[in-house]
Amino acid sequence: MSSETFRPLLSQKLKSFPRKLEIGDVVLLLYITAFVRQWFWIVNYSTPAWILTCLFSLIIWGVHLLTKDRSEQTIPRHFWLVVALPLFLIYAMRAAFPDTSFDVLDYRLINSERALRGLPFTGADFFPTRFPFNPAPDMVTGISRHLLGYRLGTIINYLVVVWVATLLLKFLRPYVKNLWLACAGVLLLVLTEHLLFIVNNYMVDLLALPLLLEATRIALCADEKSNTRDAIRIAVFLGASAAFKLTSLAFAAPIFLVYAYNTSRAASRQQLVRKFLLIACAFLLPLIPYTLYIYWQTGNPVFPLFNKLFTSPFWPTNDPGVRWGPVVDDPRWLQMKWWEVLLWPVLLPFKIEHTAGNLGPHAGRISIGFIAALVGLALKFKLNTGTAGVPPAMSAKREQSDHSTMDGNVAGRARRPRSQYTSSQLTESSLRPLCFIVILGAMLWSTLSGMLRYATYLELMGGVIVLVLAAQLFQRAQAVDRLQIFRRVAAVALWAVLLMQAAVACMYVYRFEWASRPTFFDKPRAFLNDSKYFFRDYSLQSFLTSREKPLISPVGAWAESSALESGIEVQLKPDVPAMCLYMPEYFGTTESKARFARAVAELGDRKMYSLCYVEHFRNAIESIKNSGLSTGKIVPLVMPYYSDHTRIHMALIEVLRPNEAESGKQITLTATSAPLAGENMRAEIGWAQPLPDHLRAGLKETIYLKVRNAGGGVWPALADSSGNLRLLVGNHWLRENNVAVVNDDGRSVLLYDLAPGEEIEVPLTVTAPVEAGSYVLEVDMVQEGVAWFAAKGSKPLRTTLRVNW
C-alpha cells in the first residue's frame, strides 16, 4: 500500500476512533493489561516490566479500536436510565463497606498481588495460595483496586455487568424494537441471584461473561465471508474466558462449533487448515504464559485440577470441585445418575438438596431458559421488522420515536439504511444456533460441575431466548385468529416469569451478600462514616493503630495456618515469602514434603508469623504442628479492615522452626464439659490501654483489656460439642443510674485455656449507643447459657464514657 493511500485511510480510522469507543472497550483495556503483564513476567524487575506492559497494552488496545466495527445499534440514553442506574444503586448500597468475602481473602487477593508484582511463586514460597489458579482475572480486579482504592476497586464488576447489559441489548434489538421495552427486558435479564450477589465483590465469576457474549455474537453473525479479524477476535475472547474461568469451556465449545459451521461451509480444506491453525494460536495466546509456568512448577498445566490426568507429584489425584462424568465424589451431588446429569438444567428447581452450600439460590432461570431453547430449536422464527414485543395498539405510537433514536446519529450525520446490518449484527437465522449453544452448553456445564455460580451465561442467554419467544408471540398475535388471545397471554406469562425471578433475586441480594456486609439502609451512620475512606484506602497498613504496626514489622515470612488469612497477610507484607500449611494435600506426597523442607531452609533467619481469625485459632495451631513447626508468642489483635465498621478479631502467632522449638509457648485448648462452678467464676479485668476520650454514636471502637483468672479452676477456651457454654468477654451499656441501655453488645473469646492466676490480653470491639450522652461501659466475663460472672459475685469493670454525634 502506497503512502498516499495509507495516510488517508489512517486518518479516516483515527477520526472514527471516538465513535467506536464503548464502555466495554474501557474494561477491555484492563483485560489486555492483565494478560500482557503475564507475558512480561520474564522481565525480573517490576518497573521496566510495567512500562513495557503499559506500552504494549495500549498498542493492542488501539489496534482493537481501529479495526472493530462501529455498530449501527449504539446504546441509547434509555439504557442508562432503565438499566445502568438501577444496577448502580444495587452496587452502591454496600459500596462503602469493604469486601471481606471468603474466596477473596482466601486466595483471590494473594493471587492478584503476586502476579501483578511478577512470577506467582518466589524462591522461599511453598504454594503461597490455596488454589493457584490462573491469576489473570485476579490481576484485572487487582489493577482496578490499585487504581481506585480497595472500596471503589470493586466497581470493575459493576462496569462488567453494564458491558454485559449493552451486549444483551444488542441481542434483543432485532426482535424487540421498542426501546423502553428492550431496556426493561435487559434489566430483567441481569437481575439474577448470583450476578447481583457479587456485583461489588472482588469475585471474578463475572469477568468472562462479556467475552463469551462477544464471542457468541460473532459466531451467530458469521458466514463463509467472515474475515480473519473476526476469527482472531472470537479465538482470543474464548481463550481469555477460559483463562478467567476454566469452566467457561463448557460454553466456549458450542460457541466455537456454531462459528465453525457458519464459516466453513464453502471453504476448501487448505483454507480451513490455515484458518483453524490461526484460531488455535489466537486461542492459546492468553493461556500460554501461566499454563507453561504452572506446568514448569508442578507438572500439571491446570494445577491442581484434573490431576488424575496430569498426575502432579505435589497434589493427590483427587480433583477439587471437578467431576469427570455422571457420577461425582462431591456429596452435594448425591451420586446422580447419568440421565440426571443431562437433565440437571430442568431438574435443578426440584432437587433443592443438591443446591446446598456454595451452589447458591436459584429461582428457576436456567430451567426456563433451557426449556425455551428446546422450543426455539424446534420452531422457526423470522426477524420482526415492526415493533415486536409490543401490543399492536402501541406499535404505531412508538415507531417514529424508535427509528429516530436507535441508530445514535446526531443532526448532520448521514444515516445508513436500517436494513443494512454490519458483521456484528444478528439476523433472523440467529435464534436456532443460539438455542443450540444454550442446550449443549447446559449439558456440558452440568457434566463438568453443575454449580450455579458457573452458569450465569446460561441464565442470561436462556433469558434472551425467553424474551425473543415472547416477542414473536406478540408479533403473531397481531393476526386475528382463534389463537390470538392465547399468544398474548403466553407472551405476558413469559415476561411475568422473568419479573418474578428478578424480584426473588432482588429480595435475596438485599438480605444476603457474600461478605455479609450490611446495606446503607441497615447501617446508615456506619455507611456514611466509612464512605470517607473512598480514594483513601490504598494501604491496609495505614489503617493499623500504633499498637499493631510494631507487631507486624518483624514479619519476614508468612505461615498460612488457616483459611481467609492470606489476603490480609499479603496486603500487610506483600514481598515476603508465604507457605500454605493448612492444606493437607500439599503434604500428601514425598515430593511436596521435600519441597516444603527446601522452602523452610531458604528462609534463613527470617522470622515467620501467622495471622488467623480467632474463630480458626484451634485449626491454625493444629496446622502449624502438623507441618512440623511450633508456636511461639501469641498476641491477639483487631484488624480494622480498611474501615471503622469492619473489624476482624485475629491472633498473631509466632511460628518456630524445629531448632527453635524449645523457646515455644505451650498452650492447651480444651472444650467445656459443664457449667463452671460458682467459685471458678471469678475474674479480674483491667485496661490494657487507655480508653479514647469519647465515642461516636452508633459506631464501633476497639478497647484492649487484661483478663486474669481469679477463680480456682482452669477456664477452658472452647465450647462444648454442641457449641454452648463458651467463656467470653462481653459488655453492657448503662445509664449513670445503672439502667441498662444495651444489655448485650460486644463479644470476645479466650484464645487458649487460662489456668488460675494466669492473665491474657483480650481486645473487645464495642458499639456505642445510637444516642449521644454519658454512659457507663460495663465489661464482664460470661459463660454462654449459664450466667455473667457478676451474678456469681465477680466484680465487673466499669467506666463512664461520653458518646457524641
Side-chain angles (χ1 to χ4, degrees), residues 55 81 94 146 149 300 314 374 424 486 488 545 564 722 746:
L55 178 61
L81 179 63
R94 288 188 174 96
H146 282 286
N300 181 345
F314 301 108
L374 292 174
S424 62
F486 171 78
R488 291 188 177 185
T545 67
L564 294 177
S722 62

Side-chain angles (χ1 to χ4, degrees), residues 40 54 109 121 181 231 251-252 353 418 429 593 597 626 672 782:
F40 283 105
C54 293
L109 288 175
F121 299 168
L181 197 63
F251 314 118
E353 66 273 16
R418 296 182 63 83
S429 61
K593 291 176 181 177
N626 291 339
T672 304
V782 62

Side-chain angles (χ1 to χ4, degrees), residues 488-518:
R488 291 188 177 185
V489 171
V492 171
L494 291 176
W495 276 83
V497 167
L498 293 185
L499 182 62
M500 179 192 68
Q501 292 173 339
V504 171
C506 289
M507 288 188 293
Y508 179 84
V509 171
Y510 178 78
R511 295 174 183 174
F512 304 101
E513 186 258 354
W514 215 310
S516 299
R517 289 177 289 181

Side-chain angles (χ1 to χ4, degrees), residues 750-766:
L750 302 178
L751 289 177
Y752 45 82
D753 294 356
L754 211 60
E758 284 190 332
E759 186 178 77
I760 189 174
E761 186 173 313
V762 179
L764 177 66
T765 297
V766 302

